[in-house]
């Protein structure tokens, strides 16, 4: 059974800080790893990673995958209060198309 | 439509009552998923449709849960004889293709509370 573990479970930082969120996984026949941001509504897609060592970047957010060590990190630089959310990591395998196995998420709170 | 639309957004059901949750995926999306998200947990897979075919229902927790997508577009998740442990957010998601690698878009969820 595929498994995703995220750490830390929760995090409180001050605006302007840089944070790193961790995601480790165990997947049979890995296909991809995805990051989502969830506020009090739909999870919104951030990144999909399939190859090791290639950083994906979008504004202040970036992510990288290590397929040898089976983990990914999500970095947020110069955090803002609007970054406060739950960040979900999920994996897919080559079996059922696009079925996501999620971790429990990291709850990030950015304070002034 | 512009995004995945779900209704009702909020539902309070008495224990034993049947509920039906509707999902309208993004127009043209082949794949449709239902997930259940309990408080403080990540979403957990319930079932998957490719067009009208239900290809995976391994995540449905019991035979009280039933999903359909008869015309390959709108989907309904039905929960019979609801119990308190069914209280959760039910998320619907869709993606354009049937193979992995497509971005999956989520709806805002139907928040079910069973009292």
């Amino acid at each position: 059974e595929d498994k995703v573990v995220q750490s830390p479970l929760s995090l409180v930082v001050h605006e302007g800080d840089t944070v790193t969120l961790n995601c480790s996984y165990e997947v049979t026949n890995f296909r991809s790893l995805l990051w989502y941001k969830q506020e009090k509504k739909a999870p919104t897609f951030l990144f999909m990673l399939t190859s090791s060592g290639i950083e994906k970047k979008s504004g202040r957010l970036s992510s990288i995958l290590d397929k040898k060590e089976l983990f990914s990190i999500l970095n947020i630089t110069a955090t803002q209060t609007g970054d406060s959310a739950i960040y979900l990591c999920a994996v897919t395998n080559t079996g059922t198309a696009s079925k996501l196995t999620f971790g429990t998420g990291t709850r990030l709170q950015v304070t002034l | 439509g512009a995004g995945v639309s779900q209704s009702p957004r909020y539902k309070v059901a008495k224990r034993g009552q049947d509920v039906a949750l509707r999902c309208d995926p993004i127009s043209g999306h082949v794949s449709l998923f239902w997930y259940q998200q309990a408080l403080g947990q990540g979403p957990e897979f319930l079932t998957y449709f490719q067009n009208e075919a239900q290809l995976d229902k391994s995540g449905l927790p019991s035979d009280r849960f039933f999903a359909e997508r008869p015309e390959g577009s709108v989907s309904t998740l039905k929960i019979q004889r609801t119990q308190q442990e069914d209280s959760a957010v039910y998320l619907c998601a869709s993606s354009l293709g049937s193979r992995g690698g497509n971005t999956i878009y989520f709806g805002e969820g139907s928040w079910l509370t069973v009292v």
Side-chain angles (χ1 to χ4, degrees):
Chain A
E1 187 176 325
D2 298 344
K3 185 177 177 183
V4 176
V5 178
Q6 292 186 245
S7 64
L9 292 180
S10 66
L11 190 58
V12 180
V13 301
H14 290 111
E15 200 170 45
D17 287 351
T18 293
V19 298
T20 298
L21 309 182
N22 303 293
C23 175
S24 63
Y25 62 89
E26 296 174 19
V27 179
T28 304
N29 300 318
F30 174 87
R31 180 192 292 276
S32 63
L33 184 145
L34 300 93
W35 285 96
Y36 284 84
K37 177 182 181 182
Q38 186 176 31
E39 297 167 271
K40 290 182 181 178
K41 46 178 81 172
T44 52
F45 173 79
L46 295 175
F47 299 110
M48 181 167 68
L49 303 155
T50 57
S51 300
S52 269
I54 299 174
E55 184 183 55
K56 294 222 172 174
K57 195 170 173 66
S58 176
R60 296 176 294 101
L61 277 67
S62 64
S63 183
I64 197 162
L65 175 67
D66 186 328
K67 290 169 73 173
K68 182 179 176 185
E69 299 298 330
L70 308 182
F71 79 91
S72 174
I73 59 171
L74 175 68
N75 278 321
I76 308 174
T77 59
T79 52
Q80 302 172 359
T81 55
D83 295 328
S84 297
I86 296 172
Y87 290 84
L88 293 165
C89 175
V91 295
T92 68
N93 60 39
T94 56
T96 305
S98 302
K99 171 184 169 182
L100 297 165
T101 300
F102 283 91
T104 55
T106 292
R107 181 182 293 274
L108 174 65
Q109 184 178 352
V110 182
T111 62
L112 292 172
Chain B
V4 179
S5 178
Q6 293 189 244
S7 63
R9 290 292 319 282
Y10 303 95
K11 174 71 178 177
V12 178
K14 291 186 177 179
R15 191 170 52 183
Q17 188 177 354
D18 296 349
V19 299
L21 309 176
R22 175 189 167 104
C23 173
D24 200 340
I26 294 172
S27 180
H29 276 199
V30 167
S31 295
L32 185 146
F33 303 83
W34 284 98
Y35 287 84
Q36 180 191 59
Q37 187 173 22
L39 192 64
Q41 301 296 317
E44 291 196 2
F45 171 80
L46 293 177
T47 187
Y48 162 65
F49 289 87
Q50 186 182 116
N51 296 308
E52 69 278 4
Q54 189 175 20
L55 298 187
D56 188 343
K57 53 181 180 180
S58 62
L60 296 176
S62 76
D63 59 8
R64 297 186 296 103
F65 286 71
F66 172 76
E68 61 182 4
R69 194 186 184 197
E71 297 178 1
S73 177
V74 171
S75 177
T76 303
L77 176 67
K78 297 179 180 178
I79 309 173
Q80 297 177 322
R81 304 181 304 281
T82 52
Q83 299 177 6
Q84 284 190 313
E85 61 261 32
D86 299 335
S87 296
V89 178
Y90 290 85
L91 295 166
C92 178
S94 70
S95 67
L96 182 61
S98 58
R99 294 175 178 270
N102 293 286
T103 301
I104 299 169
Y105 298 91
F106 283 84
E108 296 195 348
S110 290
W111 296 61
L112 173 65
T113 302
V114 181
V115 297

